[in-house]
């Protein structure tokens, strides 16, 4: 029996509820395929601050680093809003990305046929949308130096440095091209090369890497145009490659195509073990304990873990197909409810998806 060790970081708010449903689904995969998943829980975010006065304790990092993969719920709660910035729950995300060297964020934006009416865009615009946004995660203005706020010419002056090494661009570009090869062999690299020197290096480097993937059709788009095109005609995109800050913005924009944040998973890959998987939604502390949040994004994040960390493509497809079957049968949590839908709670949705896996 093959055994995999998973660090389970539920986090704050509804994080435990959604990760519990992902565990339920992984146990169904255990039952069907004969694997063994060992889960070790650790604190992250506000709950970790309450216990250790830091949102990312060393014990949590130790558990994460010795695991085969990390499954994260969500961090944050309004009651921590007045904490100093360095100990806010959200700081744990930047910290764990750096400590695990999570350089590649894969965020799919898929519009399921049963949910097209939920999108704020017209159904004919979003129907059939299936985009994979690949965002570089450890460079750019979030990590660039120098940075800070100083006094200059008699007034406050704030600055952050947008910077990339060529090697960082090559690393993420290879991930994007490899992903495109597994999909429709189309890749759009998004930058601001008409204005920014760092974007000119980005574009030059992506073009250089493209020579290793002659089958992939490479196009380029400025970020302001890309933001417009994602709304105007999202189906023109298959794989989008971009830097950290542009990817942060564009992936959140693309998430609204599906109509609910509760449907969208993500993977943050490392060039080492482990990688980390999490839903893109927040912790929703106001909904904690009510059994109403949508666990599908976390369940699909667990599916991505099987695919990218454990190379279990059939098992990944089993989970995705079970989600589709459940939606096709009319079951909905409140965030994706439509007229005539069969409304379910968090745990009930997990049960239904589990049943469809085991059928």
């Amino acid at each position: 029996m093959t055994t995999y060790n998973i660090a389970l970081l539920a986090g704050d708010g509804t994080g435990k509820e959604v990760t519990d449903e992902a565990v339920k689904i992984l146990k169904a995969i255990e039952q069907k395929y004969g694997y063994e998943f060992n889960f070790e829980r650790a604190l992250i975010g506000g709950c970790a601050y309450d216990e250790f006065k830091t949102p990312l304790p060393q014990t949590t990092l130790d558990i994460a680093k010795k695991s085969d993969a990390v499954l994260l719920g969500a961090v944050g709660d309004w009651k921590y809003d007045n904490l100093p910035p360095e100990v806010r729950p959200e700081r744990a995300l930047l910290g764990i990305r750096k400590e695990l060297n999570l350089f590649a964020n894969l965020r799919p934006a898929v519009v399921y046929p049963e949910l097209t009416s939920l999108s704020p865009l017209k159904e004919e615009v979003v129907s059939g949308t299936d985009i994979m946004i690949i965002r570089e995660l450890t460079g750019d203005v979030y990590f660039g130096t120098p940075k800070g706020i100083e006094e200059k010419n008699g007034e406050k002056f704030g600055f952050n440095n947008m910077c990339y090494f060529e090697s960082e661009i090559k690393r993420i570009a290879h991930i994007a091209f490899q992903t495109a090869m597994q999909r429709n062999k189309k890749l759009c690299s998004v930058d601001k090369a008409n204005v920014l020197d760092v974007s000119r290096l980005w574009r030059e480097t992506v073009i250089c890497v493209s020579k290793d993937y002659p089958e992939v059709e490479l196009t380029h788009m400025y970020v302001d145009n890309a933001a417009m095109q994602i709304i105007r005609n999202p189906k023109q995109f298959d794989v989008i490659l971009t830097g950290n800050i542009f990817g942060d913005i564009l992936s959140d924009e693309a998430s609204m195509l599906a109509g609910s944040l509760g449907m969208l998973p993500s993977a943050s890959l490392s060039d080492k073990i482990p990688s980390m998987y999490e839903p893109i939604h927040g912790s929703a502390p106001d909904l904690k304990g009510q059994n109403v949040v949508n666990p599908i994004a976390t369940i699909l994040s667990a599916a991505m873990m099987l695919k990218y960390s454990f190379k279990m493509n059939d098992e990944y497809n089993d989970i995705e197909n079970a989600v589709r079957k459940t939606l096709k049968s009319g079951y909905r949590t409140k965030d994706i409810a439509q007229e005539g839908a069969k409304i379910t709670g968090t745990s009930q949705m997990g049960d239904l998806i589990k049943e469809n896996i085991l059928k």
Side-chain angles (χ1 to χ4, degrees):
M1 179 181 293
T2 305
T3 301
Y4 298 94
N5 297 312
I6 299 170
L8 193 63
L9 313 183
D12 303 315
T14 58
K16 184 178 186 304
E17 293 171 67
V18 293
T19 52
D20 282 352
E21 297 312 304
V23 169
K24 181 186 295 181
I25 298 307
L26 291 171
K27 288 187 176 296
I29 295 296
E30 272 187 336
Q31 181 179 340
K32 185 171 182 177
Y33 288 93
Y35 303 119
E36 182 179 358
F37 298 115
N38 292 329
F39 301 95
E40 188 167 4
R41 294 183 180 270
L43 300 179
I44 191 170
C47 59
Y49 175 81
D50 289 340
E51 183 77 18
F52 299 102
K53 300 307 176 187
T54 173
L56 185 59
Q58 186 60 48
T59 52
T60 297
L61 282 175
D62 291 342
I63 289 170
K65 287 179 177 179
K66 72 179 183 181
S67 70
D68 296 309
V70 177
L71 183 62
L72 175 69
V75 300
D77 192 310
W78 302 306
K79 67 183 181 180
Y80 303 110
D81 284 354
N82 293 323
L83 289 176
E86 62 272 15
V87 292
R88 290 276 298 273
E90 295 77 11
R91 295 293 295 183
L93 298 180
L94 292 177
I96 199 167
R97 288 171 187 170
K98 183 177 181 180
E99 289 288 337
L100 299 183
N101 197 33
L102 303 174
F103 71 92
N105 182 239
L106 277 60
R107 187 176 289 192
V110 178
V111 180
Y112 291 88
E114 297 80 13
L115 303 179
T116 53
S117 64
L118 295 177
S119 175
L121 301 183
K122 294 179 181 179
E123 290 189 38
E124 58 266 28
V125 173
V126 298
S127 180
T129 295
D130 185 349
I131 304 171
M132 177 67 81
I133 296 179
I134 298 183
R135 165 192 172 193
E136 202 288 325
L137 207 58
T138 57
D140 214 324
V141 295
Y142 296 148
F143 294 95
T145 55
K147 60 182 178 179
I149 300 174
E150 297 178 354
E151 290 285 335
K152 190 172 184 178
N153 299 327
E155 61 179 327
K156 287 186 177 180
F157 172 71
F159 53 98
N160 290 86
N161 191 18
M162 176 182 276
C163 54
Y164 272 115
F165 286 100
E166 181 184 20
S167 58
E168 293 176 310
I169 304 170
K170 284 183 176 179
R171 182 173 62 173
I172 191 69
H174 279 294
I175 294 290
F177 279 104
Q178 290 163 13
T179 303
M181 285 292 293
Q182 297 171 2
R183 290 170 57 98
N184 295 313
K185 299 180 180 179
K186 290 177 56 181
L187 174 62
C188 179
S189 178
V190 174
D191 57 40
K192 193 63 176 170
N194 58 334
V195 175
L196 300 174
D197 292 332
V198 66
S199 278
R200 284 194 282 275
L201 176 62
W202 179 280
R203 184 172 292 205
E204 291 170 6
T205 306
V206 170
I207 291 172
C208 181
V209 173
S210 72
K211 296 174 183 177
D212 293 338
Y213 305 89
E215 295 178 59
V216 177
E217 175 191 346
L218 173 64
T219 58
H220 304 274
M221 192 174 290
Y222 297 141
V223 63
D224 43 352
N225 186 30
M228 178 182 69
Q229 293 295 334
I230 286 173
I231 299 301
R232 176 182 173 273
N233 180 20
K235 285 179 284 190
Q236 69 182 283
F237 297 106
D238 186 50
V239 178
I240 294 175
L241 165 67
T242 192
N244 204 343
I245 191 168
F246 296 157
D248 193 359
I249 296 165
L250 293 180
S251 59
D252 276 4
E253 180 190 20
S255 72
M256 292 312 299
L257 299 174
S260 173
L261 294 175
M263 295 298 299
L264 301 172
S266 76
S268 296
L269 306 184
S270 175
D271 53 6
K272 302 179 289 187
I273 295 175
S275 294
M276 187 170 77
Y277 303 85
E278 61 181 306
I280 73 165
H281 60 67
S283 59
D286 55 321
L287 301 178
K288 180 180 178 180
Q290 298 179 38
N291 192 37
V292 295
V293 298
N294 188 345
I296 291 178
T298 313
I299 289 169
L300 292 174
S301 296
M304 293 183 77
M305 178 180 69
L306 299 184
K307 180 176 183 176
Y308 290 102
S309 282
F310 306 150
K311 311 305 178 188
M312 300 179 184
N313 289 326
D314 290 342
E315 294 83 343
Y316 166 85
N317 290 331
D318 263 7
I319 296 175
E320 189 175 60
N321 289 335
V323 169
R324 291 180 182 273
K325 287 179 183 177
T326 304
L327 294 174
K328 194 171 183 178
S329 298
Y331 294 101
R332 305 284 188 273
T333 47
K334 286 187 176 181
D335 61 307
I336 55 173
Q338 302 147 301
E339 186 175 350
K342 305 169 187 175
I343 306 299
T344 69
T346 307
S347 60
Q348 291 81 7
M349 180 61 78
D351 290 339
L352 291 163
I353 295 170
K354 177 181 178 180
E355 289 171 12
N356 279 321
I357 290 172
L358 295 175
K359 279 183 180 178

